[in-house]
Amino acid sequence: MVDPESGLSLTIARIVQRLQGSSLHSQLERQARVSLHKPEIKLESLKEDIKDFLKTSGWEKKLQNAVYSELNVFPSPCHPAAPPEHMKEPLAYMRKAQGSWEKRILKSLNSMCTELSIPLAQKRPISEQKELLNKWNEMGTDEPDLSLFRPVYAPKDFLEVLMNLRNPNYENGEQPSFRNHLGLIQVPLKVKDIPELKEDFSELGLNIGQLGIDDSAQVPPEFFENEHVRVGQKVLAEQDSAAAQQYVRQGCPTALRADLWALILNISNQPEDILYYEQLKSNVIQHDLLVDSLIYKDVKLTASNDDYYFVFEDYLYQVLLCFSRDTSVLEHFTYSSATPPKSYIRGKLGIEECAVFYPPNVAPLCFLYHEPSRLYQIFREMYVRFFFRLHSISSHPSGIVSLCLLFETLLQTHLPQLFYHLREIGAQPLRISFKWMVRAFSGYLATDQLLLLWDRILGYNSLEILAVLAAAVFAFRAVNLMEVTSLAAAEAVLADLSTLKVMPLLQIFLFATVT
Amino acid sequence: MYTYKSWFEAIKCLCSTLCSGNITIQKMAGKVKWVTDIEKSVLINNFEKRGWIQVAENEDWNFYWMSVQTIRNVFSVETGYRLSDDQIVNHFPNHYELTRKDLMVKNIKRYRKELEKEGSPLAEKDENGKYIYLDFVPVTFMLPADYNLFVEEFRKNPSSTWIMKPCGKAQGKGIFLINKLSQIKKWSRDSKTSSFVSQSSKEAYVISLYINNPLLIGGKKFDLRLYVLVSTYRPLRCYMYKLGFCRFCTVKYTPSTSELDNMFVHLTNVAIQKHGDDYNHIHGGKWTVSNLRLYLESTRGKEVTNKLFDEIHWIIVQSLKAVAPVMNNDKHCFECYGYDIIIDDKLKPWLIEVNASPSLTSSTANDRILKYNLINDTLNIAVPNGEIPDCKWNKSPPKEVLGNYEVLYDEEMAQSDGHDRDMRSRSGQSTGIKGNRARDSGKPVLTTWK
């Protein structure tokens, strides 16, 4: 354990190092230089005066937001002697498992390449480049032959891998007892129980106003909604990231959500960001990657058939194709257990690495942002902060392994009869809820409900709420589930979540269920 | 259950309640007999679930869901017949005053001029001579009758695009876009040949200024289909179905003149879009109105979204008020209209047309459920309690039976209460999010809802 004093200075040093050379740094310098011309800046008290100036002009707030953002994203430093892998993932067996999983994906990709005689990456001929540029805004109408492309993996393949995780230092004992975990995940990670969750998610309590509950048509807006909106506008006016994060725990008013999320994720719309996006776009135009076809196929199968998201199909291609070429995403690999497959593209295109990932969730964001570069930034930030944890093996409390374990533990502890019954009929609950959690419920809930859920992910800077919601859904449908006699029937009971209201479910499960 | 000492008692009781207009007692008379000439399952299933009995047209019927051809016969001078008190039909005799493109425009123009003559604040115009509150129909002319007037207007803006629509057709049939006078030479010839020859209604067209700046979502054009039920025109009582939907084109929108002929870009009718290469049978290119609302609130803000929906309600009510004076307010009739509305990129809604016989065909599973519920709620309002109707009833259903309808405008109630009572409903309720619409006293509109 690092002692607090040196831990703090380590953190400060790290943040300073990260912010140095960033565009915020150069903007601050520029502002400071410009302020020299102002009359209120005096030579005698230069340092103080500049500091005051930065404060009143809002630049100190921007710096605060940037620091807050760094604190949120990066884990606290561990012992200075710890190797970098330790920071990515402290448990060796997890690192090993993630490594094998990546090798497996890579092998699958490589064999697909050989089978189809398509290179992993190649430069596009000029005519094709022109064509793509022309139809950049309507790739949805293209109909390339994708029948030979298989998705690299399906959620259930990933679940199989997670199920087989074992801690080599932990002796489970041969006898299954009621104290043993009866679920699919068999690693002894620490997960929270309901009293701890209640504390963590205290703002979701019964006597605190929530959007998603206290803004329904029957409740007069004077009770909660009006005041909440007013506070939200104030938070936006102050441009305070930390305040915004606290605020959204009670939900975002729809009109303020786009700006609040941008504030929390510390996304500004600087010209260099737009340039960056354009550069990525030109990378897409110039080079054709195998993963492009996989992305294309996945979007075609999912979003274009979705009642809510089909409208945004074209945006999804743009964002995902750019994302697959974005090397800045690779920064997050320093704190993710994953390592990008380096072997195949290095040097070939001038792009060092290309990450392989399960196409994550862009579509709901299209409801909030319709300007492509902004949409892209928000999506990228949400991915590197949260969603990547759903696709890699780690011991992080928001990682998919912990979420699965949390879900199963909650269910086993609080609905033991249901859990046991489902297990007996061969319908392990995780087999059904895994796909919800791995996609953060996108594509399963109605959009307005999904956005309310994601408000809380941002507000609490954690994905644990996904596991809690999954358990709450089972609790809600418990009566019907007790009557089913097969996995298929259980799936059917839980097939349609589009009418669910997430906040009441969460509130009841956490705060109003007799344990 | 009521028990009576004798049959005599029962009949006395029945008579007295009938006379007082209260028909909620179980009638002992029998089941509703229905007829329809539209073979659609969403209709028939609804009749059957009420235990109604199917009969033939020439028998004694209580409820006839008829096509527009049939209503013409029923009320025509030669073949028509009187309906008795226990018979209800689903169209007003001269619904075409609203549902024919040319007559709708004619009636609205007449209504506006009348208001102007009265000096009503509703008919206020801005500095360009455009109506501030009543400019909700794109500039339209009848062809060939108004050909010369049209040419005058066209020459003011020679780069504009216009849309030609045959008056009597539906489902996008016969519609085309023009941007050159030469493309409609035929109508100029016809107008010159003789001005007294009455054109058969089949050849009559309307030409309207094409809205070439529609609001796009995901780069695609869409329109709104809203269902409005009218139970009586005088006093006007109408209901809006909360579950309307948006119909998207499958192809990206472009105002480019090279694509004027591509109907997949411009016409949102499902009948057209479903033949496109990209038509998807799962969602049918449809979005719910609540999705639209969520998207607009998230990207444009709550005030402008509320304003948009208020304006949509406004133009629907104004269109009904415009035709109310000329409508045959036959007490045997009710009607469920399909309103088509387009929103432009300045978030202004435009009334495109009103359909008397909105399609009851279902293009997707969700669609079928929606239309089934639409008919169900319509029948609950039009035929109270599912019992043999009495057209003398006061057409005031209790709130509980409205289902997914909400009161759009109730003239009687608006007149009896002061103008503090706001009868406009908000579709915001369908998402469970309250529309926090401020009472904007800036607009004199509130006072004119009476």
Side-chain angles (χ1 to χ4, degrees), chain A residues 194 197-198 201 203-206 210-213 249 410 441 445 449-450 452-457 460 463-476 500-513:
Chain A
I194 287 204
L197 290 168
K198 265 164 123 155
F201 294 118
E203 289 87 351
L204 301 184
L206 291 167
Q210 299 293 330
L211 288 184
I213 300 177
R249 292 178 180 186
L410 285 174
F441 281 89
L445 294 173
Q449 295 301 311
L450 184 78
L452 288 169
L453 179 67
W454 287 15
D455 285 341
R456 274 72 180 190
I457 292 181
Y460 290 103
L463 293 169
E464 285 160 317
I465 200 136
L466 296 177
V468 180
L469 180 60
V473 171
F474 272 75
F476 184 60
L500 293 184
K501 301 271 178 259
V502 307
M503 297 320 299
L505 279 183
L506 284 168
Q507 226 181 35
I508 292 176
F509 186 77
L510 284 174
F511 296 98
T513 306

Side-chain angles (χ1 to χ4, degrees), chain A residues 26-55:
Chain A
S26 41
Q27 278 167 31
L28 280 169
E29 266 188 10
R30 207 182 312 137
Q31 285 298 317
R33 252 194 276 276
V34 159
S35 74
L36 288 175
H37 300 295
K38 294 198 184 298
E40 54 269 22
I41 312 288
K42 303 202 179 10
L43 194 55
E44 311 85 65
S45 47
L46 188 62
K47 200 168 176 183
E48 292 308 315
D49 287 346
I50 293 190
K51 265 204 216 163
D52 284 334
F53 167 72
L54 288 177
K55 196 178 211 151

Side-chain angles (χ1 to χ4, degrees), chain A residues 353-474:
Chain A
E353 283 127 0
C354 170
V356 178
F357 55 93
Y358 191 82
N361 321 294
V362 190
L365 300 175
C366 295
F367 265 86
L368 301 175
Y369 307 99
H370 51 142
E371 207 269 308
S373 73
R374 195 150 189 240
L375 173 64
Y376 180 76
Q377 283 189 287
I378 298 274
F379 163 69
R380 179 181 60 182
E381 196 59 31
M382 291 211 56
Y383 183 80
V384 301
R385 273 205 205 192
F386 304 112
F387 294 141
F388 76 94
R389 298 200 194 276
L390 299 171
H391 313 134
S392 49
I393 305 174
S394 79
S395 57
H396 194 274
S398 273
I400 187 70
V401 185
S402 305
L403 295 184
C404 290
L405 191 56
L406 176 59
F407 163 74
E408 291 190 314
T409 311
L410 285 174
L411 213 56
Q412 193 179 345
T413 315
H414 299 286
L415 293 156
Q417 235 189 341
L418 176 64
F419 193 95
Y420 194 75
H421 169 74
L422 289 174
R423 192 170 167 272
E424 286 298 291
I425 61 171
Q428 276 274 6
L430 185 58
R431 288 200 190 276
I432 302 176
S433 64
F434 187 71
K435 54 187 184 294
W436 302 338
M437 294 192 285
V438 106
R439 298 193 80 106
F441 281 89
S442 155
Y444 296 101
L445 294 173
T447 310
D448 61 321
Q449 295 301 311
L450 184 78
L451 293 173
L452 288 169
L453 179 67
W454 287 15
D455 285 341
R456 274 72 180 190
I457 292 181
L458 281 163
Y460 290 103
N461 201 32
S462 141
L463 293 169
E464 285 160 317
I465 200 136
L466 296 177
V468 180
L469 180 60
V473 171
F474 272 75

Side-chain angles (χ1 to χ4, degrees), chain A residues 137-138 141 215-217 219-221 225-226 254-255 304-305 307-308 310-312 314 366-368 370 447-448, chain B residues 217-218 220 248 250 252 278 280 282-283 285-287 291 294-295 297-299 301-302 366 429 432-434 436:
Chain A
N137 286 325
E138 39 186 13
T141 49
D215 56 333
S216 72
V219 180
E225 203 183 343
N226 287 350
T254 42
S304 56
N305 285 332
D307 284 342
Y308 297 100
F310 71 90
V311 176
F312 304 118
D314 299 324
C366 295
F367 265 86
L368 301 175
H370 51 142
T447 310
D448 61 321
Chain B
I217 299 184
K220 301 190 177 77
F248 281 87
T250 50
K252 269 274 187 322
D278 286 301
N280 182 299
I282 296 181
H283 51 68
K286 286 181 179 165
W287 241 21
N291 265 348
L294 176 66
Y295 176 81
E297 275 182 14
S298 302
T299 52
K302 200 148 192 173
N366 282 341
Q429 256 113 30
I433 301 170
K434 270 230 279 266
N436 277 320

Side-chain angles (χ1 to χ4, degrees), chain B residues 344-357:
Chain B
D344 71 17
D345 59 11
K346 302 194 183 27
L347 287 199
K348 181 180 159 74
W350 294 92
L351 175 57
I352 301 300
E353 66 170 348
V354 184
N355 293 286
S357 254

